[in-house]
Amino acid sequence: MDEYRVVVIGAGISGIGAAIALRRRGITDFVVLEKAGTLGGTWRANTYPGCACDVPSLLYSYSFARNRDWSRIFAGQNEIRDYIERTADARGVRSHVRFGIEMLRADWDPIDARWTLETTGGTVRARFLVAAAGPWNEPLVPDIPGLSQFPGEVFHSARWNHDYDLRGKRVAVVGTGASAVQFVPEIAPDVARLHLYQRTAQWVLPKPDRRLSGFERRLLARVPGARRLVEATEYALMEALGLGFRHPWLMRQLQWIGRAQLRAQVRDPRLRRALTPDYTLGCKRLLMSNTYYPALTRPHVEVHPSAVREIRGSTVIAQDGSEAEVDAVVFGTGFHILDMPIAGRMFDGQGRSLDEHWQGSPQAFLGSSVAGFPNAFVLLGPSLGTGHTSAFLILEAQLEHVATAIDTAVRRGWRTLEVRRDVQDAFNDEVQAALPGTVYNSGGCRSYFFDVNGRNSFNWPWSSAALRRRVSAFDPGVYAVTRDDEPVPAG
C-alpha cells in the first residue's frame, strides 16, 4: 500500500496548480492521480472543432508562469493544452503524476487520521486529500427516451468522435450552450442537414478575437510593460462587466449589443424571434461568437426552438412535435456541474458520502473546505463561479489558502484540521443573502447555476477582488484542529 502526505485527484489546471503550490512550500511527498493518460483536464478532454477559451488569453494562465506567446486574443484548445503541459514539465509536476489511475472511493479514517483511497491501481493512503477533478469533468447527457436504440452515431462534445466523419450526414445537435456555439459553425458547412434543438435562446455577443501579428507577439513577449498594460486593460474590462452581473440594470443596457448582432446577422424575422432571449443578459453563461448566427442562417440548417421529447428509430421528435430523420446526434449539453461525481466517492468517518452531506445543494467554506471532511479540500468548488473571471484567478486564490493550510498543519504538528460547521454555515448564509440582487438570481432564467433544490450553489456574488482577498486568506481560527500528541477520541 502506497502512502503519501497528500493525494491530489486530477491533473488538469487545478491539480497541476496544487502540485506546484505544494512544491513551492517544500512539500514533495505527494502524488497526483489522473485517470487519463495525459495532462490537461478539461483542455485534454474537449477537442471538438472550434474549441477555444472565452476569457482573453493574457488572463488565462498561472500568474507565476505567464504565457508570453499566445497566437490569438482568445486561445484555442491545442494552444492552451500545450501551455498547461509545458508549465507542468517546467515546474517538475509530471514526476508526481500516476496516469491511468482513477479514484474509486476515498474514506476518512478518524482513528489513524488518514484518507484511504481505493483506486484502479490499488490502495493509496494519505494525510491530506485535494479533490481537483473540477466541475467541468463529467459530461451531462440528458435521459431521452429511445436514445439507447438510436441506430446512428451518438457522442457528447466533450467526447468528440474524430473517427466519425460528419461530412454529408444529417446531424442533430442537442443544446445551445458554450460548446455548441463554438462547434456548430465549424461543422455546419460540411453536413448535409443540421437540426439544432434549442430549449432556451442564448445571448450571444460579438467575440473580439483575432490572430495576433508577429509584431504584437514580439511586443508582448519582450516588453513587460506592454504586456502588463494589456493585461491590466483586459482585467479592468472584465471587472467592469462583473459590475453588471451584480447590478442587473447595467446588464440590460448591454443587451443592445447582442440584439444588434442578431439583427445584423439574422434577416429572417421568424428565426430572429426564435433566437431572441427573454431574460437578462448574464442570467446564463455569457456566450461570444461572430460565426454562430450566420451558421444558423444556412439553408440546410434548421433551428428547433424546443427540447427533444424522444428518439424513435432514426427520428428525433421535439417537444413541439417536429420530426427529423438524422444519422448522428451530438450533445452540447454541458457537464455535471453541481452534482459532481467525485462527491459520491468521498466518505466521512461515519461512512456518509459528500453527496449525502450536501443533499443536492453543495456547500463549502470559501468553496474549499467542507465540515465533516477533515484534511480534505475541494478546488473550484461551490459558490466560486463568476461570469467574467478567469478560472486561474479563482484557482490561485484557493491554492494559496489550501497550500498554506497543509503547510501550517505539517509545520505545527496538527493531526487534523476541519472547518467548523458554524463558520461554513455563516459563509453560505452570507452568499445566499447576497445572490438575490445579482443577475444570476434575478435575471429571469433557469441556469445550471441552480441545483436540484432550486438553490444557487454555483455563483460568487461579489467582485473578483473580494474573491481573491477572502478565499486566499487562511485563518486557523475557523478550523477545528487536533494535534499529534492529543489522544484520539473514542468512537
Side-chain angles (χ1 to χ4, degrees):
M1 181 187 303
D2 295 329
E3 184 153 348
Y4 301 89
R5 178 161 284 159
V6 186
V7 169
V8 179
I9 308 299
I13 64 170
S14 300
I16 291 169
I20 294 171
L22 291 171
R23 284 176 59 89
R24 291 170 73 182
R25 285 164 176 77
I27 300 173
T28 57
D29 182 18
F30 69 88
V31 67
V32 180
L33 304 182
E34 171 53 57
K35 65 182 179 181
T38 56
L39 303 170
T42 295
W43 296 107
R44 168 197 54 77
N46 286 270
T47 61
Y48 59 81
C51 183
C53 193
D54 52 11
V55 172
S57 305
L58 289 179
L59 301 180
Y60 202 77
S61 60
Y62 300 106
S63 65
F64 51 81
R66 294 292 192 200
N67 184 15
R68 300 177 180 178
D69 192 31
W70 294 114
S71 67
R72 303 189 66 87
I73 295 177
F74 292 83
Q77 177 263 338
N78 281 331
E79 199 169 2
I80 296 171
R81 180 178 171 182
D82 288 345
Y83 160 73
I84 293 170
E85 292 193 335
R86 288 199 314 272
T87 303
D89 289 338
R91 302 283 169 154
V93 172
R94 197 179 291 268
S95 62
H96 293 273
V97 182
R98 290 177 59 184
F99 292 106
I101 303 297
E102 182 176 4
M103 191 271 280
L104 304 175
R105 182 183 175 107
D107 288 274
W108 172 249
D109 184 340
I111 304 301
D112 289 339
R114 296 287 191 281
W115 282 96
T116 301
L117 286 75
E118 299 301 328
T119 79
T120 54
T123 303
V124 177
R125 281 166 59 87
R127 176 64 65 90
F128 299 96
L129 174 63
V130 179
W136 294 278
N137 173 51
E138 191 65 29
L140 174 63
V141 176
D143 184 16
I144 299 174
L147 177 62
S148 61
Q149 284 78 50
F150 178 69
E153 185 67 23
V154 178
F155 55 86
H156 189 279
S157 60
R159 301 291 186 268
W160 197 272
N161 184 0
H162 292 277
D163 293 330
Y164 183 77
D165 191 354
L166 290 173
R167 288 178 297 181
K169 301 295 196 305
R170 299 166 301 174
V171 180
V173 174
V174 181
T176 55
S179 300
V181 164
Q182 293 183 342
F183 74 71
V184 165
E186 297 294 320
I187 68 172
D190 298 323
V191 301
R193 187 80 178 165
L194 193 152
H195 296 272
L196 179 69
Y197 292 88
Q198 170 194 273
R199 187 171 56 182
T200 307
Q202 301 278 1
W203 284 106
V204 182
L205 300 183
K207 189 171 187 177
D209 186 30
R210 62 175 174 81
R211 182 168 291 278
L212 297 172
S213 69
F215 170 76
E216 290 171 319
R217 294 173 69 172
R218 288 191 298 273
L219 183 68
L220 293 172
R222 299 175 187 176
V223 183
R227 187 177 68 255
R228 284 194 293 268
L229 176 62
V230 176
E231 287 175 359
T233 302
E234 291 181 339
Y235 178 77
L237 290 172
M238 299 293 276
E239 285 306 290
L241 183 61
L243 190 64
F245 282 88
R246 301 189 296 280
H247 300 282
W249 67 271
L250 289 174
M251 294 302 279
R252 286 191 283 272
Q253 312 313 306
L254 292 177
Q255 290 177 182
W256 71 268
I257 300 175
R259 290 197 188 98
Q261 174 165 258
L262 181 57
R263 281 196 304 269
Q265 295 184 336
V266 179
R267 297 297 186 182
D268 180 357
R270 180 173 171 273
L271 178 58
R272 194 162 59 235
R273 281 195 300 272
L275 296 173
T276 301
D278 60 359
Y279 54 87
T280 304
L281 174 68
C283 184
K284 289 179 174 286
R285 179 174 173 175
L286 198 61
L287 306 180
M288 293 185 293
S289 175
N290 304 321
T291 56
Y292 179 64
Y293 288 146
L296 303 186
T297 64
R298 289 175 173 268
H300 66 290
V301 175
E302 182 174 357
V303 175
H304 301 261
S306 172
V308 174
R309 187 178 72 204
E310 65 175 307
I311 296 178
R312 193 178 302 152
S314 296
T315 304
V316 177
I317 304 171
Q319 292 286 3
D320 62 7
S322 63
E323 299 185 4
E325 291 282 328
V326 299
D327 304 302
V329 177
V330 181
F331 288 99
T333 44
F335 299 85
H336 288 273
I337 300 291
L338 295 173
D339 55 340
M340 296 177 286
I342 196 170
R345 302 183 183 190
M346 292 176 60
F347 295 83
D348 66 11
Q350 288 73 49
R352 294 180 64 213
S353 71
L354 189 53
D355 264 341
E356 291 176 278
H357 276 255
W358 284 344
Q359 297 183 39
S361 292
Q363 297 185 49
F365 173 61
L366 299 175
S368 307
S369 308
V370 182
F373 289 78
N375 294 11
F377 302 94
V378 179
L379 298 182
L380 298 181
S383 300
L384 290 181
T386 74
H388 65 284
T389 304
S390 168
F392 282 91
L393 183 148
I394 302 169
L395 174 63
E396 288 193 36
Q398 280 193 285
L399 291 177
E400 180 65 25
H401 182 113
V402 171
T404 301
I406 294 174
D407 183 41
T408 302
V410 171
R411 288 188 292 102
R412 296 188 183 180
W414 294 346
R415 194 168 189 268
T416 64
L417 74 163
E418 176 188 344
V419 68
R420 299 193 336 249
R421 173 73 64 179
D422 63 305
V423 170
Q424 176 177 299
D425 289 346
F427 168 73
N428 282 282
D429 287 347
E430 185 184 5
V431 169
Q432 292 305 311
L435 279 169
T438 67
V439 73
Y440 311 122
N441 280 38
S442 63
C445 75
R446 179 75 179 189
S447 70
Y448 67 72
F449 304 151
F450 289 82
D451 58 39
V452 294
N453 298 316
R455 177 181 181 273
N456 186 335
S457 297
F458 183 83
N459 290 115
W460 175 268
W462 304 290
S463 69
S464 61
L467 186 153
R468 183 160 44 191
R469 181 181 66 254
R470 293 187 63 179
V471 175
S472 63
F474 170 67
D475 176 8
V478 306
Y479 286 89
V481 172
T482 64
R483 301 180 184 278
D484 284 330
D485 55 1
E486 292 179 2
V488 178

